[in-house]
Amino acid sequence: MEIFDIFLLEAILNGILLGGVLALLALGLNLVFGVIDVVWICYAELVMLGMYTVYWLFAQYGVPLIPAFLLGILAVAALGALLHYLVIQPVLSSAPINQLLVTGGVLFFLQALATLVFGVEFRNIGLRLPVLEFNEMYFSFARVLAFVAALAGMVALYLFLTRTYLGTAIRAISQDRAIMPLMGVNPKKIYLITSAIGGGLAGLAACLLVLQYDVHPAIGLSFGPITFMICVMGGLGNMVGGFVAAFIFSQFISVGGFFFAIEWGYVVAFAFFILMMFVKPQGILSRRR
Amino acid sequence: MNRLLALIGVLALASIPLLDIGNYYLHLLITILIWGFIYTSWSIMGRFGLVSLGHGAFLGIGAYTVTMLWNQIGLSPWLGLPIGLGLSALVAVVIGYPCFRFRIVGHYFALVTLALSEVVRLTIVALRDNTGGSLGMTPRSADTANSLYALQFADKETFFYIALVVWLFGLWVWKKVDRSMSRYALEAISEEEDAAASVGINVTRTKLTITVLSAVLTALGGVLYAQYQLYINPETVSGIAISLQIVFAVIAGGMYVQLGPTVGAVFTLMLAESLRIMVGHDVHGLDGTIYGLLLVLFIIFMPKGILGGLLSWWEKRQSPPPSAKPAPAE
């Protein structure tokens, strides 16, 4: 019983750490949705490209890890802005579902392009991070790092949105799209900047994921769906809600995986998501209207 | 006139196997017919703004139910079929009813259905003791090469006619829905739900009916696919990738016209096959890259799809004075 409890506790704590990674993943998507009102179905593919960038720079060209990370983040940020400029902007005025689907087309494109350029092999950055031991429980250092980075990213984003002029403009335009242009804000520019920040957050997530997982072209499909579920369950555009939802999901996966197979953890998490949609369609932190 | 043309078309299609064109081309045709049917099934609800990213779920339920019943208790696919279809109808109701009752539309509906298709895929993987997990499963071979009881046929001609009949059935259902009162109700709902409800349309029931119809047909397509390919795995019949593939093929072909989804099936298959032949097996991902790029371009510049775009271009040419006729709906 004693040993059982300690494994359960380890699963719970690992769930919390996984929650940090998921929260970080959800953060960029949430920002883009909240401001531009578009769901990037291809968000996880941006993360995948970020992982490849870091892998390529670090493992192939021997760029030190920190500069590789920074370049990776910058590359994905540029990609986010490019995505908005080339793909989203032309369909901004058409039906919302077209906006969703067009990024789905980008998903196929990026996934196939990665296959074309990088091949289907699983690639590992080849960096062994230590495993932390605490009270006979084992935690991966990469996860702890991801958890801390997620918290830092969220705080930084919060400060940026509330303390800077640009952040205020971003928040304002998400509240009223029609009025802000009249107040002298150029929505095109704001959208572009928001997309770049969203991409940058995807890049940050990529840096932390590449430490833990092998990168391959289809990796986006394995954590893409869960990222959308987290954003929707938290209330699309609601970042605090997304954060809470990330930790709920990660507990389902981690503790569910502890008791049953890991897939069952995901099944229960998705089933719970569907159930929550019926109970609180506006997100877990919403008030009843 | 139209009826005559359709009859000639069907007869021409039906006589193709007599031409002895070889197994490869027959295989392409059967694949087009099966996927054309599945895409048509999706478009039955998709054309009314009910964009489901969860049709992989119904495909998987149909394919796996029938195959598992046959492999494990030896139940003939003919008996497994109604069970599989019933199961997918049940899932459609369980997910659809609350969605429509609580007004989950647009993005949210798409994402809920996306979760559903992942639930089905992961369930199949998790039940690996019975389903073979990610390795997939093969229906147990029948005692004879051609077995009606096991719905397995060694010659492609027989399967061609089965696929042709099922595909025609799909088009017939599409037409039936197109000509029904529900079509007007559904169009009203897709424009404005509250206004539709205010003129006496039962929004929940109307949407649920079309969803169940679409789900059941998709499951039938899944069964057909499993019996033809004699191999299924969780990735090819369920999950996010196949669900998106269904939606995109329909968009490429044309969501609002009867033959649009079939054109989408022809287009996507031709693209993949011709690129495969031109480039060979060595270059992975080129077909997907071009396919993805084309999809993005389609949605931006040609949202009506290939056939839809062609038809409206033709109509515009046929009737030059724009004020003479009210704009045709679709």
Side-chain angles (χ1 to χ4, degrees):
Chain A
M1 200 63 217
E2 190 66 19
I3 203 88
F4 176 77
D5 279 345
I6 202 139
F7 281 133
L8 180 61
L9 186 64
E10 187 182 356
I12 291 172
L13 290 176
N14 262 318
I16 292 175
L17 293 179
L18 176 68
V21 183
L22 293 179
L24 183 63
L25 273 170
L27 203 58
L29 192 63
N30 241 334
L31 176 75
V32 171
F33 181 84
V35 177
I36 313 176
D37 206 11
V38 169
V39 178
W40 284 0
I41 288 282
C42 58
Y43 184 77
E45 273 59 36
L46 294 185
V47 176
M48 178 262 293
L49 288 184
M51 290 170 79
Y52 267 118
T53 313
V54 174
Y55 165 79
W56 221 246
L57 289 172
F58 179 76
Q60 297 290 318
Y61 291 102
V63 178
L65 200 56
I66 301 299
F69 276 179
L70 289 176
L71 283 172
I73 292 173
L74 279 179
V76 186
L79 209 62
L82 202 65
L83 173 72
H84 180 79
Y85 186 74
L86 291 180
V87 177
I88 306 291
Q89 203 152 282
V91 293
L92 261 186
S93 53
S94 55
I97 209 68
N98 279 6
Q99 300 164 2
L100 188 82
L101 292 175
V102 80
T103 59
V106 177
L107 180 155
F108 273 119
F109 174 70
L110 293 180
Q111 199 187 326
L113 191 70
T115 312
L116 192 64
V117 178
F118 303 114
V120 287
E121 295 85 5
F122 283 55
R123 293 179 191 279
N124 193 292
I125 192 164
L127 192 72
R128 290 276 159 265
L129 288 169
V131 174
L132 304 181
E133 191 195 338
F134 175 74
N135 240 352
E136 288 176 48
M137 294 182 287
Y138 296 95
F139 305 104
S140 122
F141 179 69
R143 277 199 175 168
V144 178
L145 198 67
F147 181 76
V148 174
L151 284 181
M154 173 132 156
V155 170
L157 185 65
Y158 176 80
L159 289 177
F160 169 73
L161 287 178
T162 50
R163 299 291 157 84
T164 63
Y165 185 74
L166 200 59
T168 311
I170 289 177
R171 279 187 302 133
I173 208 150
S174 69
Q175 283 169 7
D176 198 322
R177 262 160 252 286
I179 295 296
M180 278 321 283
L182 303 178
M183 302 289 156
V185 175
N186 180 356
K188 274 190 178 171
K189 198 173 125 195
I190 296 292
Y191 286 170
L192 214 54
I193 293 170
T194 308
S195 299
I197 298 174
L201 288 166
L204 180 61
C207 296
L208 296 157
L209 283 171
V210 82
L211 294 175
Q212 299 178 49
Y213 301 99
D214 292 348
V215 54
H216 58 102
I219 195 171
L221 291 182
S222 58
F223 57 77
I226 198 137
T227 313
F228 307 129
M229 303 306 138
I230 288 167
C231 288
V232 174
M233 196 163 98
L236 273 168
N238 182 340
M239 284 173 216
V240 182
F243 217 68
V244 175
F247 286 98
I248 295 176
F249 261 98
S250 62
Q251 284 308 325
F252 271 116
I253 294 165
S254 188
V255 177
F258 169 73
F259 282 114
F260 312 104
I262 188 82
E263 289 90 7
W264 285 119
Y266 278 97
V267 169
V268 174
F270 284 156
F272 177 73
F273 161 76
I274 295 174
L275 195 72
M276 281 307 286
M277 280 304 289
F278 302 145
V279 182
K280 276 186 172 279
Q282 303 298 324
I284 39 173
L285 296 184
S286 69
R287 293 186 202 88
R288 285 224 168 260
R289 285 193 298 179
Chain B
M1 184 60 195
N2 270 344
R3 209 163 259 216
L4 193 67
L5 275 178
L7 194 66
I8 293 171
V10 170
L11 284 178
L13 268 176
S15 58
I16 286 178
L18 305 176
L19 297 175
D20 198 21
I21 52 172
N23 273 347
Y24 171 66
Y25 289 102
L26 211 52
H27 165 74
L28 287 189
L29 276 173
I30 296 171
T31 311
I32 287 172
L33 287 175
I34 293 177
W35 284 108
F37 170 71
I38 293 168
Y39 298 158
T40 308
S41 312
W42 182 88
S43 79
I44 282 174
M45 70 186 283
R47 62 190 284 237
F48 299 113
L50 288 164
V51 175
S52 154
L53 299 182
H55 267 48
F58 305 121
L59 211 59
I61 290 172
Y64 267 91
T65 308
V66 170
T67 309
M68 283 171 77
L69 285 174
W70 168 247
N71 279 8
Q72 299 196 341
I73 58 171
L75 195 67
S76 162
W78 291 102
L79 295 171
L81 187 66
I83 298 175
L85 300 193
L87 211 57
S88 73
L90 185 72
V91 171
V93 171
V94 167
I95 294 299
Y97 180 76
C99 269
F100 302 142
R101 182 72 188 72
F102 298 119
R103 292 285 165 85
I104 292 169
V105 292
H107 284 148
Y108 291 90
F109 182 70
L111 290 169
V112 168
T113 51
L114 185 73
L116 174 68
S117 70
E118 281 295 295
V119 166
V120 170
R121 183 181 72 83
L122 289 164
T123 307
I124 294 171
V125 176
L127 290 171
R128 57 174 63 82
D129 292 341
N130 297 312
T131 61
S134 305
L135 295 175
M137 72 192 302
T138 308
R140 191 164 48 77
S141 313
D143 303 330
T144 50
N146 284 324
S147 165
L148 190 64
Y149 178 72
L151 205 61
Q152 291 177 11
F153 303 99
D155 60 325
K156 292 204 185 301
E157 282 80 8
T158 318
F159 224 98
F160 175 81
Y161 287 111
I162 295 176
L164 183 66
V165 168
V166 171
W167 175 70
L168 286 172
F169 171 68
L171 293 183
W172 178 76
V173 173
W174 194 96
K175 200 79 187 168
K176 270 276 174 233
V177 172
D178 193 54
R179 296 247 172 99
S180 68
M181 275 304 282
S182 314
R183 180 218 162 150
Y184 296 100
L186 283 160
E187 276 182 351
I189 290 169
S190 74
E191 298 267 325
E192 176 67 67
E193 277 200 11
D194 292 324
S198 76
V199 292
I201 295 170
N202 187 334
V203 174
T204 307
R205 187 189 293 168
T206 315
K207 283 168 102 173
L208 200 57
T209 313
I210 200 77
T211 306
V212 169
L213 181 67
S214 171
V216 167
L217 290 177
T218 307
L220 175 62
V223 175
L224 202 61
Y225 175 83
Q227 294 303 127
Y228 175 62
Q229 293 283 341
L230 293 177
Y231 169 72
I232 46 178
N233 84 42
E235 307 295 329
T236 51
V237 294
S238 65
I240 174 173
I242 195 73
S243 301
L244 284 172
Q245 184 197 311
I246 295 176
V247 182
F248 288 129
V250 177
I251 290 175
M255 202 192 291
Y256 304 104
V257 281
Q258 190 182 16
L259 284 174
T262 309
V263 171
V266 175
F267 170 72
T268 48
L269 191 75
M270 288 295 130
L271 187 69
E273 284 296 303
S274 53
L275 284 169
R276 192 174 63 81
I277 291 163
M278 276 192 293
V279 191
H281 288 286
D282 306 334
V283 186
H284 289 285
L286 186 66
D287 54 342
T289 311
I290 296 174
Y291 178 56
L293 194 64
L294 284 175
L295 278 175
V296 174
L297 293 176
F298 267 123
I299 298 170
I300 295 177
F301 297 109
M302 207 171 161
K304 279 183 182 167
I306 299 172
L307 192 64
L310 279 178
L311 283 180
S312 55
W313 171 78
W314 181 249
E315 267 168 17
K316 233 185 257 169
R317 259 186 58 143
Q318 293 296 85
S319 53
S323 56
K325 267 200 297 187
E330 312 319 344

